[in-house]
Amino acid sequence: YYRQGLSIQPNDFQANFELGNLLSRAGDTNGARAAYETAYSTNPLDKRVILALIGLDQDEEQYGKAEQKLRIILNREPNDVKALKLL
């Protein structure tokens, strides 16, 4: 369903984000990362997609990348509880 919609509007934030969630739950981390990165490129201010990418980075033991993304959130929202817990 999401892929069909993305064939028409490949940069649709919500469709890419939801596809990333679906692929992540299915264990397709490469596909999930690609979808999340596209979503991020269309809306870099959306905290949900940054948190999703952080989760993938942590799963892949890319802790430096995860910390960089956490800093993005904390630079905007220094008291973000979820980001602070992940730090």
Side-chain angles (χ1 to χ4, degrees):
Y1 172 77
Y2 294 114
R3 289 187 198 272
Q4 185 178 23
L6 288 169
S7 69
I8 298 166
Q9 288 188 304
N11 292 322
D12 182 271
F13 172 83
Q14 195 64 39
N16 276 293
F17 180 71
E18 294 300 335
L19 178 61
N21 289 339
L22 183 76
L23 294 173
S24 181
R25 284 192 299 273
D28 181 357
T29 56
N30 291 331
R33 181 175 297 282
Y36 287 143
E37 286 178 352
T38 300
Y40 178 77
S41 73
T42 62
N43 186 359
L45 299 177
D46 192 286
K47 184 169 55 175
R48 298 171 302 160
V49 75
I50 298 171
L51 289 169
L53 286 165
I54 289 168
L56 292 178
D57 288 341
Q58 290 177 330
D59 289 348
E60 296 170 356
E61 299 180 2
Q62 298 290 323
Y63 301 115
K65 288 182 180 181
E67 184 176 349
Q68 288 175 339
K69 290 176 182 77
L70 280 170
R71 299 280 176 207
I72 292 169
I73 293 171
L74 291 171
N75 283 338
R76 289 186 225 149
E77 300 177 47
N79 297 318
D80 184 278
V81 175
K82 191 165 193 169
L84 288 169
K85 283 183 181 180
L86 292 171
L87 190 60

